[in-house]
Amino acid sequence: TQLLEQSPQFLSIQEGENLTVYCNSSSVFSSLQWYRQEPGEGPVLLVTVVTGGEVKKLKRLTFQFGDARKDSSLHITAAQPGDTGLYLCAGTTGTASKLTFGTGTRLQVTL
Amino acid sequence: DTAVSQTPKYLVTQMGNDKSIKCEQNLGHDTMYWYKQDSKKFLKIMFSYNNKELIINETVPNRFSPKSPDKAHLNLHINSLELGDSAVYFCASSQQRGAVGSYGYTFGSGTRLTVV
């Protein structure tokens, strides 16, 4: 069973601060995705990374896939209250048909 | 609007009842999924269908039975509901099942099931 551990579990920061969320596994993933989920809604895809060492930027969000494709990180610069939500990493392995989700990081950004 | 829509949004029912959750996607995706999100917000896959064919069936009690009449619909029927079935159930779809360069999933907004 592939397990994706995210850290930290909870993060409460003030507007303008930077933060990094980590997603770690002992398994190798063929692709890794990051989602954000807001209360009462389903997760929404932010990014997909497929190549070891790949870095993708989405405005103030920077995503990195580890060289060995076992881990990933999400860095947010100058966090805003609109960034508040549950961040989930999720991975697929080889020809597997399912997306395995991480344990989640709940982020709260206050004014 | 193009989306994954599931109904109902909320479902409160007594133990022992049978209930169904419906899901429809108009994105033209080939694959649909049911996920269960527990109280700790952990999302776990239950089932996956590709073009009406069951391709993933995790260790889910056989009280849960998915049905896919066509590739745009995937319903979930639950028999003899138990307290432990209380959770949020999410339907999702994707363009193709996971591979290198996997496409992202589009999720519905969830069905909060409460068994009393």
Side-chain angles (χ1 to χ4, degrees), chain A residues 16-19 59-62 75-80 83:
Chain A
E17 290 184 34
N18 301 333
L19 66 117
K59 296 184 182 177
R60 293 175 295 100
L61 278 60
T62 302
H75 182 79
I76 302 179
T77 304
Q80 297 177 0
D83 296 327

Side-chain angles (χ1 to χ4, degrees), chain A residues 34 46-47 49 54-56 58 61-65 73-74:
Chain A
W34 284 91
L46 297 173
V47 77
V49 285
E54 183 176 2
V55 176
K56 278 193 175 177
L58 186 66
L61 278 60
T62 302
F63 305 86
Q64 184 160 7
F65 201 10
S73 63
L74 157 60

Side-chain angles (χ1 to χ4, degrees), chain A residues 33 35 41-46 99 101, chain B residues 1-6 23-29 31-35 90-96 103-110:
Chain A
Q33 300 171 3
Y35 291 78
E41 297 297 327
V44 175
L45 179 69
L46 297 173
L99 197 59
F101 278 84
Chain B
D1 287 344
T2 54
V4 176
S5 55
Q6 52 181 111
C23 180
E24 175 182 3
Q25 56 95 4
N26 60 5
L27 298 162
H29 288 169
T31 309
M32 295 184 72
Y33 312 83
W34 278 110
Y35 275 81
F90 284 99
C91 177
S93 69
S94 68
Q95 180 62 27
Q96 65 183 65
Y103 291 93
Y105 288 21
T106 301
F107 282 84
S109 56

